[in-house]
Amino acid sequence: MRSREIRKYAVSSIPPCYSKAVIPGKISPDLLRRLVYPHLTTRPDVLVAAGIGQDSAVLDFGPHACIITCDPITGARRELGRLAVHVACNDVAATGAEPVALLLTLLLPPGSGEAELELIMREAGETAVALGVAIVGGHTEVTPRVTDIVAVVTAVGRAESGGYLHAGGARPGDALLVSKAAAIEGTAILAADLAGELAGRVAPEVLARARRFMDEVSVLSEGRAAVRAGATAMHDVTEGGVLTAVWELAEASGLGVELWADAVPVRQETTAICRALGVDPLRLIGSGALLVASGDPDRTLAALAGAGVPGTRIGTMRAAGRVVRRDGREEVLVPPARDELWRILEEVNGPA
Amino acid sequence: MRSREIRKYAVSSIPPCYSKAVIPGKISPDLLRRLVYPHLTTRPDVLVAAGIGQDSAVLDFGPHACIITCDPITGARRELGRLAVHVACNDVAATGAEPVALLLTLLLPPGSGEAELELIMREAGETAVALGVAIVGGHTEVTPRVTDIVAVVTAVGRAESGGYLHAGGARPGDALLVSKAAAIEGTAILAADLAGELAGRVAPEVLARARRFMDEVSVLSEGRAAVRAGATAMHDVTEGGVLTAVWELAEASGLGVELWADAVPVRQETTAICRALGVDPLRLIGSGALLVASGDPDRTLAALAGAGVPGTRIGTMRAAGRVVRRDGREEVLVPPARDELWRILEEVNGPA
C-alpha cells in the first residue's frame, strides 16, 4: 500500500513505435493467450489460476481456500464507490465463497476535490457494511498519470477447502441457469445517463423503476445458495451481457453450450428502454445476474428461490459446439464483442 | 478481473470545483485520517487493518493468517514488471509471511505496443519465479484514462496463525535495526537515470556497481529470518527513505523512537552519488532495506547474518518523543516529506 509514483524516469526499454499497437479496451482473448498468459507462474498451492472467464484465483490455505480477485474501474464516476465494492464482491460470490475483505486503490487526477474522494469512500464503506465485507486497506493518490478517477479493487474471499466453485467446472449435460434477469445494470445506467433521449419514448415511472435496478447488482445471495445445491460452475454476467458470459463460461470449462436466448428473462423496463434505443439486452452490461451450470437444476432453482432470487433455465452445456437458439433459428455463439453500452453512448454522445 | 471501462458516464455527483482540491502525490496522513479511514470497515476476522505505516492487512483463516497488500506503480516504465513484483512481495515480507500469489493489473495508454506489454509480463514472470511466488491473475486493459502505464499489484501471503508481525507491534525499549543499507533502490535509479549528470563526477565503475543495486531490492530473506528471531515489528523502507520509514513504524506502533542517523549504513556508491547531486541518502527511496524492531537484537542480528543479510542497530523504540541524533545534535523526527528523488529529478529535468 505504498505509492511508487516517484519513479518518473520516462525511458521505455522498447519504444511503442517499434511494436504493434494494442487496440483500446480490455485486451482480447487472443492477446491474453499470446502476450500475458505465457508469463503467468504457478506453484502447488495455487488451486485455480487466471484464464478466460476465470475471474477469481484460488489458493490453498489448509482447511480453507483463499479466493482472490481484482477489478479496475476505469470509467465510472457516478456511484463509483458503490460499484467498486459490488463488482469485486460479485467475482468472489461467483465462487460461492464468502467475501471477507477489500483493498481499495484510488488514483485521482490533479484537481480532484476532497469532497469527491470522501463521497467515494463513504459509498464504498456503506456498501461494504451492507454486504458484511471489510475494507481493510488500499492506497489513495493524486497523480497526473490518470485523466479521470481510476479505482482498482481487490477482494479476498474464504471458503471451506473444496467448498467453492469456479467457472471451469461445468460438465456436458449440465443445465445452464441464470439468476434475476438480463441487463439489470445496463438498464439502470441507460435510464440515468440517457434520460433526455428516453423522455417521451419511455414512461417516467418506468425510467424511475429502471434506475432503481442499481440496487440489485449484487449476486451474493444467489452465489451462496447455488454452491450448496448442485451447481458445478458459476460466472457473473458483466460486460458484453449474458451472451458474452455464456461464451466465457463455456470457454473456461472447455465445453460447448446451447443457449435458448428466448428463455432469458428480460424485464419490462429493460425491454422498453432497449427497444427505444435499439439495444440488444443480451449484449448489454449485466451485473446482477449470475450464470450457474448445474447437474441438478430443480434443486438449484429451489435453492435460489429459497434465497429470494428468481432463477431460470436458459440452456444446456454440451461437449462441443457453441450455439444460440433465438427466434426459432440456431446461430453460432461468438466470443465477446463490444458491449452495447459503449456503442449506444458513443452514438448519442460522440466518441469518448 | 473484469474491466469496467465501459462505464463512461462522466457526470460527477460533486463537481471538483465545489470542494477543496487534494494536492498531487500520495495522500497525506492528515487527509487519510479525515477522508479515508473513517469509511473503512471491519469484521471480527480482520486481524490487522489499514493504517499509517501498515502496508499489509491480515485476515483470520483458521490455522493460517492471510496477508494482503496492494501497491500502485504510477510512474515506472523501466523494469516495471520487476519492480511491481518486488514492491508487493516486500510488503508481505515485512510481516514475515510467505508471499504466495500476485494479481497484476496493467492499465496502458492508447498507442501502447504489444512488445511493451510482453516485456513487462516477461519481467514480472521471471521475478515471480525467482521469488517463488505465483502470478495467478489480474487484468490488462488499454484505456484513455491513463497517460502512461499504471500497474497495480496485489500480493497475498500466508503465515501460521500468530506467526506473523505487523508494523504496529513494537514496544518501548526494543532495539531498532535495519537490513543492508540506506537508499539501495534510489542509488540504482539515480545511477541509471542521471548518468549524464554524474559522468565526470562519479567514476564509471562506481556507477556500474550502483546500477546493480537494483538486484538487491527484495527483503524476503531478512523478513523470513527476523520474524523467527525476536522481532516485534517490521516495516520496509520505500519512499522518503529510512527517516520516513522510521517515523511510520513509530506511528503504527503508537510509540516514540530515537534514531541514530550516523549509525545507518550508507554504501560508498550511495555516498558518492548522493554527494555529487546534493541528495540526503536517508530521505531517498530505499527498497532493499527492512526496518526491524526487536526485543532481542543480538539474536535477531545473528538470524539476519545467518540468512546472508547484514543488519545494523540504528536506534531504540521509546514510549514517547521521536528524535533523530545526527552529527552530535538531536532533532525532532518529522512526518514524511517529499522523497529526495522527486526533488532532484525535477531540478535536473524540470517539473514532470
Side-chain angles (χ1 to χ4, degrees):
Chain A
M1 308 173 197
R2 299 300 319 282
S3 160
R4 313 303 280 190
E5 83 276 15
I6 69 169
R7 295 201 183 81
K8 284 206 167 274
Y9 40 101
V11 184
S12 171
S13 306
I14 299 183
C17 53
Y18 290 159
S19 85
K20 202 176 153 193
V22 184
I23 58 165
K26 197 167 61 148
I27 291 260
S28 70
D30 168 61
L31 277 188
L32 283 173
R33 287 198 194 93
R34 277 203 294 121
L35 306 181
V36 175
Y37 292 164
H39 305 291
L40 300 189
T41 57
T42 192
R43 28 185 274 167
D45 49 3
V46 174
L47 302 177
V48 178
I52 308 285
Q54 294 281 24
D55 290 339
S56 295
V58 183
L59 311 175
D60 185 1
F61 269 61
H64 295 295
C66 174
I67 286 84
I68 53 175
T69 182
C70 189
D71 287 279
I73 301 184
T74 52
R77 291 198 120 196
R78 186 180 295 177
E79 302 198 85
L80 176 64
R82 194 176 169 204
L83 275 170
V85 170
H86 277 309
V87 164
C89 289
N90 276 358
D91 279 342
V92 173
T95 71
E98 183 192 9
V100 174
L102 302 174
L103 299 172
L104 188 55
T105 296
L106 293 176
L107 304 176
L108 309 162
S112 299
E114 288 190 7
E116 204 169 12
L117 169 59
E118 191 169 27
L119 176 69
I120 294 169
M121 289 305 306
R122 192 184 325 123
E123 270 183 18
E126 286 169 0
T127 311
V129 166
L131 296 180
V133 64
I135 303 178
V136 296
H139 181 92
T140 311
E141 179 180 326
V142 174
T143 168
R145 300 278 148 157
V146 299
T147 57
D148 205 337
I149 300 177
V150 169
V152 181
V153 203
T154 297
V156 176
R158 188 178 48 215
E160 297 301 299
S161 171
Y164 61 89
L165 296 177
H166 59 86
R171 299 163 310 191
D174 281 349
L176 182 65
L177 316 175
V178 69
S179 73
K180 298 195 198 100
I184 288 178
E185 178 186 11
T187 301
I189 293 173
L190 291 175
D193 284 35
L194 298 186
E197 285 70 20
L198 290 166
R201 297 154 77 185
V202 176
E205 64 272 18
V206 173
L207 290 179
R209 285 202 306 273
R211 282 194 294 272
R212 286 197 297 275
F213 283 14
M214 202 56 102
D215 298 336
E216 298 179 66
V217 297
S218 176
V219 298
L220 258 68
S221 300
E222 48 260 62
R224 209 160 8 210
V227 75
R228 299 194 192 122
T232 56
M234 305 199 289
H235 187 41
D236 64 322
V237 176
T238 55
E239 268 182 74
V242 169
L243 286 178
T244 297
V246 169
W247 183 89
E248 290 179 340
L249 178 67
E251 179 75 9
S253 296
L255 292 181
V257 67
E258 180 182 313
L259 171 66
W260 313 330
D262 302 323
V264 177
V266 180
R267 293 181 182 168
Q268 272 191 327
E269 294 84 354
T270 302
T271 301
I273 289 169
C274 286
R275 189 171 293 157
L277 295 169
V279 159
D280 179 356
L282 299 197
R283 295 189 186 279
L284 180 58
I285 188 163
S287 292
L290 183 69
L291 284 182
V292 182
S294 172
D296 189 348
D298 292 341
R299 187 173 150 228
T300 308
L301 288 170
L304 291 181
V309 181
T312 309
R313 178 158 185 188
I314 60 168
T316 300
M317 303 306 298
R318 56 193 214 184
R322 294 175 192 157
V323 299
V324 50
R325 282 207 219 146
R326 202 171 192 175
D327 302 327
R329 282 191 306 275
E330 190 173 285
E331 292 165 21
V332 173
L333 180 67
V334 293
R338 198 176 187 212
D339 193 281
E340 287 282 85
L341 185 62
W342 265 127
R343 184 180 62 74
I344 195 70
L345 288 183
E346 223 175 83
E347 276 182 32
V348 174
N349 302 327
Chain B
M1 307 170 195
R2 299 301 319 281
S3 159
R4 313 303 278 190
E5 82 276 15
I6 68 167
R7 294 204 183 79
K8 284 206 167 272
Y9 40 101
V11 185
S12 171
S13 306
I14 299 184
C17 53
Y18 291 159
S19 85
K20 203 173 152 195
V22 185
I23 58 166
K26 197 167 59 147
I27 290 259
S28 69
D30 167 59
L31 277 190
L32 283 173
R33 286 197 194 94
R34 278 202 294 120
L35 306 181
V36 175
Y37 292 164
H39 305 292
L40 301 190
T41 57
T42 191
R43 25 184 274 166
D45 49 3
V46 174
L47 303 175
V48 178
I52 308 284
Q54 294 281 26
D55 289 340
S56 294
V58 184
L59 310 176
D60 185 1
F61 269 62
H64 295 296
C66 174
I67 286 84
I68 53 174
T69 181
C70 189
D71 288 278
I73 302 183
T74 52
R77 291 198 119 197
R78 186 180 293 176
E79 302 197 85
L80 176 64
R82 193 176 171 203
L83 275 170
V85 170
H86 278 309
V87 162
C89 289
N90 276 358
D91 279 341
V92 173
T95 71
E98 183 192 10
V100 173
L102 302 174
L103 298 173
L104 188 55
T105 296
L106 293 176
L107 303 176
L108 309 161
S112 300
E114 289 192 7
E116 203 170 11
L117 169 60
E118 190 167 27
L119 175 70
I120 294 169
M121 288 306 306
R122 191 184 324 121
E123 271 184 18
E126 287 169 1
T127 310
V129 165
L131 296 180
V133 65
I135 303 178
V136 295
H139 182 94
T140 311
E141 176 181 329
V142 174
T143 168
R145 301 277 149 155
V146 300
T147 58
D148 205 338
I149 299 177
V150 168
V152 180
V153 203
T154 297
V156 176
R158 189 178 47 216
E160 297 300 301
S161 170
Y164 62 90
L165 295 177
H166 58 87
R171 299 163 309 192
D174 281 349
L176 182 65
L177 316 174
V178 70
S179 73
K180 300 197 197 99
I184 287 177
E185 178 185 11
T187 301
I189 293 173
L190 291 174
D193 284 36
L194 299 186
E197 285 70 21
L198 290 165
R201 297 153 78 185
V202 177
E205 64 272 18
V206 173
L207 290 179
R209 285 201 305 274
R211 281 195 293 271
R212 287 196 297 273
F213 283 13
M214 203 54 100
D215 298 336
E216 298 179 66
V217 296
S218 175
V219 298
L220 258 68
S221 301
E222 48 261 63
R224 209 158 9 210
V227 75
R228 298 195 192 121
T232 57
M234 307 199 288
H235 187 41
D236 65 321
V237 176
T238 55
E239 268 183 73
V242 169
L243 287 178
T244 295
V246 169
W247 184 89
E248 289 178 339
L249 178 66
E251 180 74 9
S253 294
L255 292 181
V257 66
E258 181 182 313
L259 172 65
W260 313 330
D262 302 325
V264 178
V266 180
R267 292 180 182 168
Q268 273 190 326
E269 294 84 354
T270 302
T271 302
I273 288 169
C274 286
R275 190 171 292 156
L277 296 169
V279 159
D280 178 355
L282 299 197
R283 296 188 186 278
L284 181 58
I285 188 162
S287 292
L290 183 68
L291 284 183
V292 182
S294 173
D296 189 348
D298 291 343
R299 187 172 150 231
T300 308
L301 288 170
L304 292 181
V309 181
T312 309
R313 177 159 186 185
I314 59 167
T316 299
M317 304 307 298
R318 55 193 213 183
R322 294 175 193 158
V323 298
V324 51
R325 282 208 219 144
R326 202 171 191 175
D327 304 325
R329 282 192 306 275
E330 191 173 283
E331 292 164 22
V332 173
L333 179 66
V334 292
R338 199 176 186 212
D339 193 281
E340 286 282 84
L341 185 62
W342 264 126
R343 184 180 62 76
I344 195 70
L345 288 184
E346 221 175 84
E347 275 181 35
V348 173
N349 301 327

